[in-house]
């Protein structure tokens, strides 16, 4: 039943992400009509919680609580972990970080105990979001890169893996934008866009379009940024994703403000406030309050600006939104300056500087130093004013240097990745060359052993070289052994996946037989059949097999010309010493079918009944 839930959960909750109203109503109806409490009930609750997370967050929370309660009743650990993760996401979206961390840690504990790598990937992603919201951008970037590595190493190739990878590049781009590293942000954004365009994911594509707009805004290309923001808004409206509308309208208002179109800027900020309140997103709300206050300062409406900033400060302090709090302090400092209350202006400026230093937001700190210099000049403290003006310039120089260094590191990382891939391809050739070198070195050592002192020195030198070659050979052999074990793991994973899908298919057939069954079960059966018959699964596995067992197919065909491509599949799995049941699951045929396939293969290979098919295949 656990495997059934796993497949059902991810087929619905991860592959069907559109939050289509008709689909949600169908799921609710299916849940209401269920008379049996089982893992499918948990899956329906999980799907509804995810589908409603951004459009109806309170309703999503109620489904998450029911998901945990139901999963506990039937002892289903995966459902308990998933439900707690959904609760963590709910509180995380509201910036109630302590509550979010509480539920994430419960979920992480269960995911670890059931060895769910995918669950850990999701939790890591959520933890990085919390680090970002509290201003710890470097830690958020570190966790995101760690998550990206987990995905690349453990997820099977396909649309889902592409979506996961795109999401992490999307997150990295956003964090580099906040750090002011627009070049690296643009690199990450294009990586994300490539992923989401490949799988035609409209929502995530909109996220990246919005990010490119933010980057264009950071580069002061505001007309271009407005075009991108409006494209993203149109997609979000069609999908009903209100939380993203709040953030995008915030960004749109900033671009209009920079173009001095204050009327449209104010309208955008007010829309951001409306959507942020509707979905109860405190981070988007404080951002909008701070931005609108900045606009009111420009228009010299200092009383209105101060009210907005005090409200932003209150929310930011309650929710521990340190970047928003720093912005509120900065705005209050500006209001105090314009009202000629310079001591208050200096105090608020100092509070903003303290938070900016703590969170490492250098672009923000640069502006604060510049404004502090202006306040000190008004107080006739000219010496200190010059000091902070120089400090601002120093940060500017540092930001330029930092950007260059990070660009070099990015190029270096790409180079190292390509280099590593090339090394893997040449692994076996290196082992062969090292074997030849070892024999040559032994011969040289014997010949040089007849000399006197110089000969002894030469022998010692060659001995050391031979030792290094031997160590390199052993290392290469260990890496090949690791690749072989990894291949076996992939094969077993493919076998288990097909077994789960077949179990799910049989369950769906039973449910479909019910006269009142949702017609979606037939679609589910067709989807499963397509996946079971998808040659891409085998093609990916076959490529990996050829890396480990190089020239196996060509050697087999040369020795036994009558064998077919299907025979080669069977021989590859036999060479890996898999059981008949595992082979049957991978090839999606019955146990009797495996027996018949082995008999046909024996005839084509001319093997006698007393000869071992396995021994002959393994020897190829």
């Amino acid at each position: 039943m656990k495997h059934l839930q796993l497949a059902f959960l991810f087929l619905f909750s991860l592959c069907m992400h559109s939050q289509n109203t008709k689909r949600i109503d169908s799921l609710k109806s299916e849940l209401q009509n269920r008379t049996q409490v089982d893992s499918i009930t948990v899956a329906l609750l999980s799907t509804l919680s995810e589908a409603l997370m951004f459009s109806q967050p309170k309703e999503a929370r109620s489904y998450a609580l029911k998901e945990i309660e139901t999963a506990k009743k039937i002892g289903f650990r995966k459902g308990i972990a998933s439900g707690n993760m959904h609760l963590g996401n709910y509180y995380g979206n509201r910036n109630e970080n302590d509550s979010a961390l509480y539920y994430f840690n419960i979920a992480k504990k269960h995911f670890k105990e059931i060895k769910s790598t995918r669950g850990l990937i999701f939790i890591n992603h959520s933890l990085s979001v919390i680090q970002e919201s509290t201003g710890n951008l470097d830690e958020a970037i570190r966790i995101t890169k760690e998550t990206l590595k987990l995905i690349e190493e453990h997820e099977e190739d396909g649309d889902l893996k592409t979506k996961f990878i795109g999401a992490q590049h999307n997150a990295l781009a956003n964090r580099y934008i906040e750090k002011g590293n627009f070049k690296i942000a643009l690199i990450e954004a294009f990586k994300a866009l490539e992923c989401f365009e490949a799988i035609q994911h409209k929502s995530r594509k909109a996220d990246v379009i919005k990010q490119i707009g933010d980057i264009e805004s950071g580069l002061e290309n505001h007309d271009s940024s407005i075009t991108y923001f409006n494209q993203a808004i149109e997609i979000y409206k069609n999908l009903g994703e209100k939380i993203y509308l709040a953030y995008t309208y915030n960004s749109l208002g900033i671009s209009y403000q920079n173009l001095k179109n204050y009327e449209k800027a104010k309208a955008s900020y007010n829309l951001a406030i409306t959507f942020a309140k509707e979905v109860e997103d405190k981070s988007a709300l404080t951002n909008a309050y701070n931005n609108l206050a900045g606009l009111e300062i420009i228009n010299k409406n200092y009383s209105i600006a101060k009210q907005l900033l005090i409200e932003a400060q209150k929310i930011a302090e309650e929710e521990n939104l340190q970047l928003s709090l720093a912005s509120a302090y900065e705005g209050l400092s500006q209001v105090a300056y314009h009202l000629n209350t310079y001591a208050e202006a200096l105090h608020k400026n100092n509070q903003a500087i303290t938070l900016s230093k703590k969170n490492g937001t250098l672009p923000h700190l640069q502006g604060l130093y510049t404004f502090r210099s202006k306040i000190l000049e008004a107080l006739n403290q000219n010496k200190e004013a010059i000091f902070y003006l120089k400090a601002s310039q120093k940060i500017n120089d540092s930001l330029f240097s930092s950007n260059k260094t990070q660009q070099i590191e990015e190029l270096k990382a790409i180079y190292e990745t390509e280099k590593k891939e090339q090394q893997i391809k040449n692994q076996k050739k290196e082992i062969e060359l090292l074997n030849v070198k070892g024999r040559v070195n032994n011969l040289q050592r014997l010949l040089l052993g007849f000399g006197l002192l110089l000969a002894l020195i030469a022998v010692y030198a060659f001995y050391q070289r031979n030792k290094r070659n031997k160590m390199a050979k052993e290392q290469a052999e260990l890496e090949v052994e690791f690749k072989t074990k990894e291949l076996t793991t992939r094969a077993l994973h493919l076998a288990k996946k097909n077994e789960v899908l077949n179990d799910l298919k049989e369950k769906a057939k039973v449910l479909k037989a019910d006269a009142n069954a949702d017609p979606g079960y037939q679609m589910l059966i067709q989807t499963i059949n397509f996946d079971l018959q998808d040659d891409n699964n085998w093609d990916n596995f076959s490529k990996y097999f050829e890396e480990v067992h190089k020239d196996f197919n060509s050697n087999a065909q040369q020795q036994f010309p009558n064998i077919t491509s299907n025979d080669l599949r069977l021989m590859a799995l036999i060479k890996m010493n898999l059981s008949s049941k595992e082979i049957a699951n991978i090839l999606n045929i019955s146990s009797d079918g495996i027996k018949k396939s082995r008999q046909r293969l024996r005839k084509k290979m001319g093997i006698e009944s007393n000869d071992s098919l396995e021994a002959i295949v393994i020897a190829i």
Side-chain angles (χ1 to χ4, degrees):
M1 207 49 115
K2 290 184 179 180
H3 297 304
L4 176 64
Q5 153 64 6
L6 175 64
F8 197 90
L9 173 62
F10 287 114
L11 278 169
F12 278 88
S13 67
L14 293 176
C15 297
M16 299 181 178
H17 194 71
S18 64
Q19 298 186 9
N20 181 279
T21 302
K22 184 177 179 181
R23 181 60 184 157
I24 290 173
D25 290 341
S26 176
L27 288 167
K28 288 181 178 179
S29 177
E30 171 66 18
L31 181 64
Q32 187 175 2
N33 293 331
R34 288 196 65 76
T35 57
Q36 181 182 359
V37 176
D38 56 13
S39 57
I40 293 181
T41 307
V42 177
L44 289 168
L45 291 166
S46 177
T47 305
L48 284 166
S49 180
E50 288 194 357
L52 296 166
M53 183 60 67
F54 298 114
S55 59
Q56 299 293 335
K58 287 187 177 179
E59 189 177 356
R61 177 180 176 272
S62 69
Y63 282 116
L65 289 168
K66 291 176 184 177
E67 179 185 1
I68 295 170
E69 181 184 356
T70 306
K72 284 182 177 178
K73 284 181 181 179
I74 62 175
F76 185 51
R77 296 285 295 281
K78 184 75 176 181
I80 297 171
S82 176
N84 278 285
M85 180 177 69
H86 293 149
L87 279 180
N89 286 333
Y90 167 78
Y91 287 108
N93 290 337
R94 291 164 57 88
N95 298 112
E96 297 180 20
N97 296 325
D98 289 341
S99 296
L101 286 171
Y102 172 77
Y103 289 108
F104 283 146
N105 285 329
I106 294 175
K108 190 168 187 177
K109 177 177 177 291
H110 286 290
F111 281 133
K112 276 187 175 180
E113 289 176 355
I114 63 177
K115 298 180 179 179
S116 173
T117 302
R118 182 170 290 176
L120 292 174
I121 288 170
F122 289 163
I123 291 297
N124 258 4
H125 175 74
S126 299
L127 289 172
S128 71
V129 171
I130 291 179
Q131 293 292 346
E132 177 184 14
S133 70
T134 56
N136 197 347
L137 296 175
D138 288 334
E139 179 63 11
I141 289 170
R142 186 195 67 76
I143 295 174
T144 304
K145 288 182 177 180
E146 179 183 307
T147 307
L148 189 58
K149 185 177 180 182
L150 279 172
I151 295 168
E152 290 171 342
E153 291 179 351
H154 295 283
E155 284 292 326
E156 286 190 7
D157 291 337
D159 285 358
L160 195 56
K161 180 176 182 178
T162 303
K163 183 173 79 170
F164 286 168
I165 290 174
Q168 300 312 306
H169 286 303
N170 186 216
L172 285 171
N174 188 58
R175 283 145 200 174
Y176 281 119
I177 289 170
E178 291 190 38
K179 285 174 69 70
N181 298 326
F182 298 114
K183 178 66 175 179
I184 298 178
L186 193 60
I187 292 171
E188 295 295 340
F190 279 127
K191 287 179 181 178
L193 187 60
E194 182 181 358
C195 291
F196 297 134
E197 284 183 336
I199 61 176
Q200 299 180 354
H201 198 304
K202 292 183 179 180
S203 175
R204 297 308 182 200
K205 182 178 177 180
D207 294 343
V208 181
I209 291 172
K210 189 265 183 187
Q211 280 187 327
I212 294 174
D214 286 327
I215 295 170
E216 291 282 21
S217 179
L219 295 171
E220 299 184 2
N221 301 323
H222 301 300
D223 286 319
S224 178
S225 71
I226 288 170
T227 301
Y228 284 115
F229 292 142
N230 283 325
Q231 288 177 9
I233 286 170
E234 189 64 27
I235 297 173
Y236 287 144
K237 282 182 178 179
N238 291 334
L239 296 175
E241 295 187 348
K242 297 177 183 179
I243 190 168
Y244 294 119
L245 282 170
Y247 284 100
T248 309
Y249 275 119
N250 255 327
S251 296
L252 181 63
I254 292 170
S255 290
Y256 277 128
Q257 182 174 323
N258 282 313
L259 291 174
K260 302 188 185 305
N261 190 335
Y262 299 139
E263 184 178 347
K264 286 189 176 181
K266 186 173 183 178
S268 298
Y269 292 145
N270 282 324
L271 283 169
I273 290 171
T274 299
F275 285 114
K277 285 182 175 179
E278 193 169 341
V279 297
E280 299 181 351
D281 188 291
K282 303 297 177 64
S283 180
L285 185 59
T286 55
N287 288 343
Y289 279 148
N290 283 326
N291 291 335
L292 186 55
L295 191 61
E296 296 294 354
I297 291 172
I298 291 173
N299 293 325
K300 300 181 179 180
N301 299 321
Y302 302 124
S303 178
I304 296 174
K306 187 173 183 179
Q307 291 175 6
L308 290 167
L309 290 165
I310 289 173
E311 184 63 25
Q313 176 187 342
K314 178 183 175 183
I315 297 171
E317 287 175 342
E318 290 173 352
E319 306 296 333
N320 191 29
L321 303 174
Q322 299 206 6
L323 293 178
S324 296
L325 185 58
S327 295
Y329 285 144
E330 181 181 12
L332 288 168
S333 174
Q334 292 176 8
V335 169
Y337 174 83
H338 289 295
L339 294 176
N340 299 324
T341 53
Y342 300 126
E344 177 67 12
L346 202 62
H347 174 63
K348 292 299 180 184
N349 176 266
N350 186 59
Q351 288 179 300
I353 286 173
T354 300
L355 285 175
S356 296
K357 281 183 176 179
K358 178 181 177 182
N359 295 307
T361 52
L362 291 181
H364 200 188
L365 190 60
Q366 181 191 3
L368 289 167
Y369 278 160
T370 301
F371 192 69
R372 188 176 187 82
S373 173
K374 190 174 180 180
I375 299 169
L376 291 167
E377 186 179 0
L379 291 169
N380 293 319
Q381 298 179 21
N382 296 323
K383 187 175 181 180
E384 287 190 45
I386 292 172
F387 172 82
Y388 281 102
L389 196 60
K390 288 181 178 179
S392 174
Q393 184 58 47
K394 186 176 180 181
I395 291 176
N396 185 61
D397 295 341
S398 175
L399 285 172
F400 178 81
S401 176
S402 176
N403 283 339
K404 290 297 179 184
T405 301
Q406 290 182 21
Q407 290 171 26
I408 292 170
E409 288 299 317
E410 185 71 27
L411 293 173
K412 181 180 177 182
I414 294 171
Y415 168 75
E416 291 295 334
T417 300
E418 293 176 349
K419 182 180 177 182
K420 184 177 180 181
E421 289 174 354
Q422 187 62 37
Q423 286 174 341
I424 292 173
K425 291 179 181 179
N426 295 332
Q427 205 103 85
K428 284 195 171 181
K429 290 183 179 180
E430 289 178 4
I431 293 174
E432 293 173 3
L433 289 172
L434 288 167
N435 281 327
V436 172
K437 284 184 179 180
R439 290 193 294 269
V440 171
N441 287 336
N442 284 334
L443 178 60
Q444 290 173 335
R445 186 176 63 184
L446 289 171
L447 292 172
L448 293 172
F450 293 101
L452 297 174
L453 182 60
L454 291 176
L456 290 173
I457 296 172
V459 168
Y460 178 75
F462 278 104
Y463 170 76
Q464 292 288 43
R465 187 187 304 173
N466 186 54
K467 183 178 179 180
R468 288 194 297 270
N469 286 338
K470 183 179 179 182
M471 291 174 64
K473 173 188 170 184
E474 289 174 351
Q475 178 64 28
E477 287 174 341
L478 284 172
E479 291 184 13
V480 170
E481 182 182 356
F482 171 77
K483 295 291 287 184
T484 303
K485 290 179 180 178
E486 193 171 2
L487 173 63
T488 303
T489 301
R490 281 179 176 243
L492 294 175
H493 178 79
L494 183 58
K496 180 56 68 177
K497 188 204 75 168
N498 285 351
E499 181 183 358
V500 170
L501 287 175
N502 277 312
D503 288 345
L504 177 59
K505 178 179 172 183
E506 293 306 315
K507 180 68 175 179
K509 285 181 179 178
V510 173
L511 294 171
K512 179 190 171 188
D514 186 344
N516 296 321
D518 191 321
Y521 284 115
Q522 179 58 36
M523 185 182 297
L524 177 59
I525 293 170
Q526 291 174 355
T527 301
I528 294 169
N529 285 334
F530 177 80
D531 190 84
L532 288 170
Q533 297 166 9
D534 188 1
D535 284 340
N536 286 333
N537 290 328
W538 178 261
D539 289 342
N540 292 332
F541 174 80
S542 181
K543 289 175 184 177
Y544 204 80
F545 178 86
E546 275 292 307
E547 289 183 16
V548 178
H549 302 289
K550 194 170 180 63
D551 299 328
F552 175 81
N553 287 348
S554 59
N555 291 337
Q557 288 175 322
Q558 185 176 1
Q559 293 182 42
F560 308 103
N562 295 328
I563 59 175
T564 65
S565 59
N566 287 334
D567 294 329
L568 282 173
R569 291 188 181 191
L570 178 59
M571 292 172 72
L573 298 174
I574 290 173
K575 185 171 180 65
M576 293 180 60
N577 202 25
L578 297 177
S579 68
S580 294
K581 181 181 178 182
E582 291 163 344
I583 295 173
N585 284 332
I586 292 173
L587 297 180
N588 194 31
I589 58 179
S590 65
S591 297
D592 289 338
I594 287 293
K595 291 179 182 178
K596 291 177 182 179
S597 297
R598 289 169 66 96
Q599 290 171 358
R600 286 194 296 269
L601 181 58
R602 279 178 169 276
K603 289 180 181 180
K604 291 179 182 180
M605 295 174 67
I607 299 174
E608 300 295 334
S609 59
N610 57 343
D611 290 334
S612 170
L613 174 62
E614 286 79 3
I616 293 174
V617 171
I618 289 172
I620 295 175

